[in-house]
Amino acid sequence: MSSSSRVFALLTLILSVIYYRNGETIRNSILNKSPLPKGYIAGGNFEADCKDIGSAATPEIASCEDAAFWDLHDASENASNGAANAPPAGAKEKAASILDKIRGTVKKTPEETPKPPTGSLKPDLRKLELKNYPEGHDFHPLGLEVWPSYGGNGSYLYAVNHARARTVIEQFLLDPKDLNSATYIRTISHPWFISPNALALTSPDSFYVSNDHLFTRRLPILGKFVPITETLLGLPFSFVAHVTLNPPSSSPSTPTIKEHTIEAPFIPFSNGVSLSPGGGELAIASTTLNRVLFYTRDKDTNKLTYKTAVPVPFCPDNIRYYAPESHNDETSELIVAGHPHFPSVVHVAANQTGAVGQSWIVSITKGSEVDTNATFYDLQAPFSANEKVPYSAIPKGYSVETIFQSNGTGFSTSATGLKDSLNGNVYLSGLYAPQGAMVCRPRKST
């Protein structure tokens, strides 16, 4: 065999492996661009019911990668929601500009009720000053999560920090009586914090954390091409670990991390991770497989048992469970945000003129209300998920429905979707969205 034939055979083998591993993703999210509308919000009208949160006047919240509610419970455990947003590591702002601020917002809504209020949709935006943050310790936030506050007490905010030297997790204290600051507690590090991405808290001092790659750009020389190879081949090298911390009040000689265990290994590009309202299920987004993986969780040991995978019509990014009041895992709803056309995201990241990244957010539900005799689904969306993922591919008992769509001109590069249980508002954050985030109040169009 000639050298050229061997090269051709090797190239054919590599492409075959890529297509075998990622064929669905290649068809749905790379080769074909979905004909999405400017904007669609389920149960409402995009132009009337959706408003940008940021603007040219508030560039500090541009490019929000993650978002989370901060639930404020009174003595009777009635909740009002707050939201915090953080931009991605590698956002356009220089690291020095975010040393003393969380690039994000807090939304205080204790007066809101399930009845849609009138007036402006925009929340009360506030920068959070990072009190006691170590001087010279740069801050490139990625994923974040907040433990609820009960009876007005302070609660912890955790944020993945892709700092220059290494990736760590920062712990802060939020105080409901001071919505303008977050007090730095400590920096959490571990040898297996290789590429932390998203967090799901299991207690004030413990959490699951996804590591989206085994090989990262920090690697000398190899970092320029090995991580992208891991992504393109869909190699199952990423993982989700559970971390238990010793309390901040422990003696200085006590290690910060009490226990670190890998609970969900061998996942291609594990991205968003979310714990169900009842705590009995963990969902993990596999970006390169265009799937959300569901695991049963042992609440006593935090051990995970794989259950099923639900395909979605885009590369999923962050995921969030909805239904915090019920604490019922069987009736909960998982909100999944992602990128329908990944090359467009790359073009936006490269600041190509005129580039926009599409947005798509769906909900995944399960239970007795699912019509098991159906042959089509997601019939209300302008462009149905059924066009990308046939009904036969959806596991029995699960339902996938579109919440939001945009071709990128209405809202770009959706990374996170949140649904407010108090008023039905839907919040979106955009990986490279110039307005950072959007809020929609779905109301049936007449």
Side-chain angles (χ1 to χ4, degrees), residues 17-18 20-22 192 194-195 211-215 226-240 262 264-271 284-289 293 295:
V17 171
I18 292 175
Y20 172 76
R21 294 287 303 168
N22 290 16
W192 280 103
I194 297 172
S195 55
N211 284 261
D212 53 41
H213 283 78
L214 180 62
F215 301 103
V226 172
I228 191 66
T229 301
E230 181 181 338
T231 299
L232 291 176
L233 292 178
L235 299 177
F237 290 164
S238 79
F239 58 92
V240 171
I262 297 176
F266 309 124
I267 299 173
F269 201 150
S270 59
N271 200 324
I284 303 170
S286 175
T287 299
T288 51
L289 290 187
L293 314 179
Y295 293 78

Side-chain angles (χ1 to χ4, degrees), residues 160-402:
V160 174
N161 179 12
H162 281 218
R164 290 188 188 95
R166 68 189 191 282
T167 301
V168 295
I169 296 174
E170 310 289 1
Q171 183 179 6
F172 302 92
L173 181 67
L174 294 179
D175 185 348
K177 297 182 288 295
D178 178 11
L179 296 180
N180 297 303
S181 65
T183 302
Y184 171 80
I185 301 297
R186 57 185 171 177
T187 295
I188 304 161
S189 182
H190 191 274
W192 280 103
F193 285 1
I194 297 172
S195 55
N197 186 303
L199 300 164
L201 301 184
T202 54
S203 78
D205 295 309
S206 61
F207 51 82
Y208 290 101
V209 56
S210 62
N211 284 261
D212 53 41
H213 283 78
L214 180 62
F215 301 103
T216 73
R217 288 179 293 177
R218 296 183 187 276
L219 291 172
I221 302 176
L222 297 178
K224 294 182 178 180
F225 62 90
V226 172
I228 191 66
T229 301
E230 181 181 338
T231 299
L232 291 176
L233 292 178
L235 299 177
F237 290 164
S238 79
F239 58 92
V240 171
H242 187 267
V243 176
T244 302
L245 306 175
N246 285 307
S249 57
S250 302
S251 66
S253 60
T254 303
T256 299
I257 294 180
K258 181 179 181 180
E259 185 178 33
H260 178 285
T261 56
I262 297 176
E263 299 298 343
F266 309 124
I267 299 173
F269 201 150
S270 59
N271 200 324
V273 57
S274 187
L275 185 67
S276 63
E281 182 177 81
L282 189 79
I284 303 170
S286 175
T287 299
T288 51
L289 290 187
N290 278 24
R291 278 169 167 70
V292 177
L293 314 179
F294 289 90
Y295 293 78
T296 300
R297 170 180 175 253
D298 186 314
K299 299 179 186 180
D300 295 324
T301 65
N302 295 302
K303 299 298 181 185
L304 300 176
T305 304
Y306 175 77
K307 184 162 51 176
T308 192
V310 177
V312 291
F314 48 77
C315 297
D317 199 325
N318 289 315
I319 56 180
R320 297 284 182 183
Y321 273 98
Y322 167 72
E325 289 79 20
S326 68
H327 300 291
N328 186 338
D329 291 347
E330 294 306 311
T331 59
S332 63
E333 180 180 355
L334 185 71
I335 312 299
V336 184
H339 312 288
H341 189 242
F342 203 77
S344 295
V345 179
V346 175
H347 295 159
V348 173
N351 292 318
Q352 289 191 13
T353 303
V356 292
Q358 295 185 326
S359 296
W360 201 334
I361 298 176
V362 301
S363 67
I364 298 177
T365 57
K366 59 181 181 290
S368 58
E369 295 184 3
V370 176
D371 184 0
T372 57
N373 295 318
T375 55
F376 297 94
Y377 70 103
D378 195 31
L379 301 179
Q380 301 301 315
F383 183 75
S384 172
N386 193 86
E387 299 291 334
K388 294 282 190 177
V389 180
Y391 184 81
S392 59
I394 306 297
K396 185 177 181 180
Y398 285 82
S399 176
V400 177
E401 297 292 335
T402 293

Side-chain angles (χ1 to χ4, degrees), residues 111-146:
E111 294 80 21
E112 290 184 350
T113 66
K115 183 179 179 180
T118 59
S120 175
L121 271 174
K122 288 190 175 183
D124 177 14
L125 300 180
R126 307 190 185 202
K127 293 181 182 179
L128 300 181
E129 177 187 357
L130 301 187
K131 290 184 176 179
N132 303 330
Y133 198 72
E135 186 176 352
H137 188 45
D138 58 324
F139 190 46
H140 286 262
L142 189 68
L144 57 80
E145 188 69 289
V146 193

Side-chain angles (χ1 to χ4, degrees), residues 68-72 80-84 105-109 146 418 420:
F69 282 126
W70 180 25
D71 290 326
L72 309 179
S80 61
N81 290 335
T105 67
V106 169
K107 177 177 72 73
K108 184 182 180 184
T109 58
V146 193
L418 296 171
D420 194 329

